[in-house]
Amino acid sequence: MATKANERLENIDVAIIGGGPAGRNAATVLARMTRRVAVFETDTHRNQYSHGMHNFPSRDGMLPTEFLAITEKELQHYGVPLVREEVISVQNAGSHFAVKTAVRKVAARKVIFATGVTDTIPEIPGMQELWGADVHHCPFCDGWECKDVPMGLYAKNENGYGMTISIRCLSDNITVFTDGARNIRGVQAAQLAKRGICIVTEKLSHLVISDGKLVGVATASGAIHPVEKLFVNNGFTVNSGLAKSLGCRTSATGAIVTNRKQQTSVPGVYAAGDVDKDVHFVVVAAAEGAKAGVAIHSELLEEDNAFALRYREKK
Ligand SMILES: Cc1cc2nc3c(=O)[nH]c(=O)nc-3n(C[C@H](O)[C@H](O)[C@H](O)COP(=O)(O)OP(=O)(O)OC[C@H]3O[C@@H](n4cnc5c(N)ncnc54)[C@H](O)[C@@H]3O)c2cc1C
């Protein structure tokens, strides 16, 4: 970014860390109220491998890249800089927050963390390659596109019982792969068996791919289980390190704890999107970004009003 832009970025109202739907919508809401904001992003987005976004009214099936291109234009329209730099630290400097990347330091009156989560994709050959295509993490996001075919569920780190029941309405041919783990209790296994669901506890070797499509799951012994769509219930890491180092309270899973206005436990610091505790949907992330934007604008108004009144009294 040019020097002029650097200068412009030195003092801003709100630093938004994260340029997914949460961060971008917070930026739009604030910029439309003429707040000086900047969005930082590392150019990785959780759903970047998705073949179509669902559960967002009027945008069903839209590619995430298209969503990003449109929202980038909207940010440009409102003069919001999209800074493609990783934020490496955020410090409370009393009168402001010092937000640092490798190449700049920005002073912001408020901060929004919209840094999302990172999915734990199993380290099994084929998983990364088919992630978002035939391997999915969320039946609400991709279940409809996967229905009525032989389906698998990978559940090693988590007990897969709940998710198996959840995807049972999508297919009557389901195999659960625990990859060596014994998470599913006896009574649960018996219930799954009663519903015609097969559990494979053997360690996995690789996914079998033909013409770029998933056709099976191979176990260490060489058995191949025909599967065309695979859901993965394997957890994620919340990208809340910067917020934690600022003192924000987090849950046992690392999610940033917020109130109904998206305020964290640290005054002036907000969180929105997957990084907090709520449902992981694009529409929810965008809504939380909007809520954070509205709450921050009110907070800034109060501060500006108090300052203006003080200044007037002195004159
Ligand atoms: C394969 C797949 C398919 C999905 N499909 C759907 C779907 O169909 N419908 C749906 O509603 N949801 C879907 N989701 C979930 C959806 O992607 C998330 O709910 C949504 O992206 C959350 O938005 P967010 O803004 O919170 O986080 P993200 O979109 O993950 O954005 C996080 C942002 O933070 C930035 N960032 C992180 N750390 C830093 C840092 N230190 N400095 C600067 N920037 C940083 C990243 O670059 C990124 O811009 C899917 C997820 C996956 C994995």
Side-chain angles (χ1 to χ4, degrees):
M1 208 168 267
T3 321
K4 209 168 169 202
N6 279 344
E7 281 165 8
R8 214 179 59 227
L9 262 186
E10 267 173 15
N11 290 293
I12 56 175
D13 288 323
V14 190
I16 301 173
I17 306 165
R24 290 181 185 215
N25 206 34
T28 305
V29 167
L30 284 159
R32 283 176 51 79
M33 292 304 283
T34 68
R35 292 297 175 189
R36 285 156 46 84
V37 303
V39 177
F40 295 84
E41 68 167 36
T42 55
D43 225 4
T44 57
H45 299 272
R46 186 178 182 194
N47 60 354
Q48 67 192 59
Y49 298 108
S50 163
H51 287 214
M53 198 173 80
H54 304 284
N55 302 320
F56 198 115
S58 83
R59 295 291 176 267
D60 193 43
M62 176 186 260
L63 285 174
T65 45
E66 200 185 343
F67 178 85
L68 290 175
I70 292 172
T71 50
E72 182 165 353
K73 271 201 189 137
E74 288 170 356
L75 292 180
Q76 277 166 4
H77 175 71
Y78 293 114
V80 176
L82 193 54
V83 186
R84 294 204 160 90
E85 292 164 19
E86 182 186 3
V87 172
I88 50 176
S89 80
V90 182
Q91 283 170 339
N92 192 340
S95 61
H96 65 274
F97 294 96
V99 177
K100 252 173 92 175
T101 74
V103 296
R104 77 183 75 229
K105 198 168 168 185
V106 173
R109 294 170 67 187
K110 311 286 172 196
V111 170
I112 301 177
F113 286 106
T115 39
V117 304
T118 303
D119 291 293
T120 312
I121 303 175
E123 286 177 11
I124 290 171
M127 287 277 188
Q128 180 73 59
E129 193 180 333
L130 292 182
W131 184 250
D134 289 334
V135 178
H136 303 281
H137 78 299
C138 164
F140 290 99
C141 299
D142 297 294
W144 200 89
E145 286 68 29
C146 298
K147 64 188 172 63
D148 302 330
V149 299
M151 194 180 276
L153 177 77
Y154 179 92
K156 181 181 184 177
N157 290 350
E158 311 273 335
N159 177 313
Y161 178 78
M163 183 111 149
T164 309
I165 296 298
S166 173
I167 61 174
R168 181 64 181 78
C169 61
L170 299 169
S171 172
D172 55 11
N173 182 344
I174 294 177
T175 308
V176 180
F177 300 95
T178 69
D179 196 16
R182 305 243 166 218
N183 290 331
I184 299 180
R185 295 192 301 273
V187 60
Q188 294 177 329
Q191 285 177 6
L192 293 181
K194 257 193 182 167
R195 296 203 64 195
I197 294 162
C198 169
I199 302 176
V200 174
T201 54
E202 203 189 336
K203 271 197 161 295
L204 299 192
S205 156
H206 62 278
L207 301 189
V208 186
I209 303 170
S210 175
D211 287 336
K213 295 204 166 301
L214 179 66
V215 293
V217 174
T219 62
S221 68
I224 293 178
H225 299 266
V227 160
E228 290 178 29
K229 299 286 179 185
L230 184 68
F231 282 90
V232 168
N233 192 15
N234 205 40
F236 51 80
T237 306
V238 184
N239 303 323
S240 56
L242 291 172
K244 274 188 201 163
S245 62
L246 200 54
C248 295
R249 199 154 74 81
T250 54
S251 73
T253 59
I256 304 175
V257 176
T258 59
N259 66 12
R260 290 181 62 203
K261 292 180 175 177
Q262 305 303 132
Q263 287 168 317
T264 71
S265 58
V266 174
V269 180
Y270 291 69
D274 288 0
V275 78
D276 70 27
K277 278 193 312 197
D278 217 320
V279 177
H280 290 182
F281 276 173
V282 172
V283 74
V284 175
E288 289 180 355
K291 281 167 67 183
V294 170
I296 287 181
H297 179 64
S298 308
E299 208 180 316
L300 290 173
L301 274 185
E302 271 178 37
E303 290 173 13
D304 292 347
N305 194 39
F307 180 82
L309 292 175
R310 252 201 329 269
Y311 181 68
R312 257 197 169 168
E313 274 164 14
K314 276 185 193 159
K315 270 200 156 183

